[in-house]
Amino acid sequence: MKQITKIWFDDKWMYGMGDDGQIYKQSVLWYRRLSDATPEQRMHYELGIYGIHWEYIDEDISYESFLARNSVEPTKLQTFFLTHRELNLAEFARRAGINGTLLRQYVYGWKMPSVEREKEIMTYVNNYGKELYKIG
């Protein structure tokens, strides 16, 4: 695939038809502006030589991103942080005793935590949620 010729969306995914006839997909959670955009805003795009541009939401996505590792469904850890962007990753990592840069790499898919490490982080997320619930 060199280019995407058409795109469409559902609740979780952005789909693209490649110039090779194959259908590719990636989670809209990877793109905050697309995730927050209305259906009308999502469909107002331009196909360029190297990617897709949404002028009104100021978003650009390369065609190559449909082939990238992060085109798969985000993990539970990634989904939590990508849907709770109000959380400061560096501060959350500090409280959890995790390197902030490493947590950011886990969230954005640049590195993958071991099963044990992801479970450890998600346990902290659950405990943090319980702590917040007690305040209310």
Side-chain angles (χ1 to χ4, degrees):
M1 176 198 62
K2 290 185 180 180
Q3 287 188 303
I4 295 291
T5 58
K6 176 184 172 185
I7 64 166
W8 64 97
F9 296 85
D10 66 19
D11 292 341
K12 293 173 56 177
W13 299 98
M14 174 175 52
Y15 299 88
M17 178 170 287
D19 55 8
D20 57 2
Q22 288 191 359
I23 296 176
Y24 299 88
K25 71 178 185 177
Q26 56 182 315
S27 174
V28 294
L29 287 180
W30 297 117
Y31 305 100
R32 183 177 190 156
R33 292 179 185 129
L34 273 178
S35 184
D36 294 344
T38 66
E40 294 80 20
Q41 290 172 320
R42 288 180 179 179
M43 293 313 298
H44 191 76
Y45 63 89
E46 298 173 18
L47 298 173
I49 296 171
Y50 300 106
I52 308 162
H53 174 69
W54 288 264
E55 182 176 355
Y56 296 117
I57 60 171
D58 192 29
E59 183 70 83
D60 295 286
I61 297 176
S62 72
Y63 297 134
E64 290 178 345
S65 68
F66 283 88
L67 303 172
R69 186 173 80 203
N70 72 356
S71 65
V72 299
E73 187 166 3
T75 64
K76 287 181 182 182
L77 180 141
Q78 292 167 327
T79 298
F80 174 76
F81 285 103
L82 292 172
T83 57
H84 292 86
R85 294 180 192 264
E86 70 277 6
L87 294 174
N88 179 310
L89 282 177
E91 187 59 27
F92 189 92
R94 185 191 65 75
R95 284 191 57 156
I98 303 166
N99 179 288
T101 300
L102 188 57
L103 180 60
R104 184 171 309 281
Q105 290 173 344
Y106 292 160
V107 170
Y108 292 105
W110 302 319
K111 285 191 176 181
M112 298 304 291
S114 67
V115 172
E116 297 82 20
R117 184 66 161 164
E118 184 168 4
K119 185 176 179 180
E120 178 184 311
I121 295 168
M122 291 308 294
T123 297
Y124 184 79
V125 166
N126 286 320
N127 290 338
Y128 185 66
K130 290 174 186 174
E131 180 183 326
L132 292 175
Y133 182 75
K134 286 179 185 177
I135 294 172

